[in-house]
Amino acid sequence: MRTRMEQLGFGLRTLAAACVDRGRPEDGPLWTRGTLDNLVQGRVIKAPTEQQIVALAAALELPEMAVKRAAAAQFLGLTEHWNDDHDTRVLVARIEELDKDGIEELDELAQIVLRRRARQSSGQDGSGK
């Protein structure tokens, strides 16, 4: 966030004023300068609402999904992991506790689940459903 603010030439007051949900501009700014300062400084703040995340993404001129992912990592302790082919994504809490082998095992498990679901949806799971 700090880097993006610098790129845009924003201070905290400017950023706070720009944090408006474009879908609901009548709500006005959804972040205060103080809360944004706490966020930038890494201090504990209350988890933002989806509307606040949308407003922050708009103000920082970033994709909403990028800001939502950052919020999930910071506030929920969830990290997303894509496999090497970038065709499977899993959300993992405490991923930092896994080594390379553990992450590869997660990739394998995700592939097993996806193959099983594909078989079930095509009626090839052997259950006769």
Side-chain angles (χ1 to χ4, degrees), residues 1-128:
M1 196 168 116
R2 193 173 304 142
T3 301
R4 187 64 181 149
M5 287 173 58
E6 289 173 13
Q7 291 170 344
L8 295 171
F10 283 1
L12 290 168
R13 281 187 175 79
T14 302
L15 180 60
C19 283
V20 175
D21 180 350
R22 292 183 182 147
R24 297 178 59 177
E26 67 276 6
D27 291 348
L30 301 178
W31 291 85
T32 65
R33 184 209 57 78
T35 301
L36 289 170
D37 183 44
N38 287 335
L39 185 61
V40 168
Q41 299 300 325
R43 296 184 194 115
V44 176
I45 68 166
K46 184 175 83 172
T49 65
E50 184 172 6
Q51 189 181 12
Q52 286 176 304
I53 292 170
V54 168
L56 184 59
L60 293 172
E61 299 175 19
L62 293 170
E64 283 180 30
M65 190 53 68
V67 179
K68 287 179 180 181
R69 288 175 176 159
Q74 182 168 350
F75 293 99
L76 302 176
L78 295 176
T79 302
E80 69 177 10
H81 168 74
W82 288 88
N83 70 346
D84 291 337
D85 295 332
H86 291 279
D87 62 358
T88 306
R89 175 180 62 145
V90 292
L91 294 177
V92 184
R94 300 170 35 197
I95 196 168
E96 68 280 352
E97 296 176 25
L98 297 174
D99 60 9
K100 185 177 184 249
D101 290 338
I103 291 172
E104 287 176 5
E105 192 173 346
L106 279 177
D107 288 341
E108 290 173 27
L109 289 169
Q111 290 300 323
I112 290 167
V113 170
L114 290 171
R115 282 193 302 270
R116 185 178 299 145
R117 298 238 173 176
R119 282 193 310 267
Q120 289 171 347
S121 67
S122 69
Q124 298 176 3
D125 65 352
S127 67

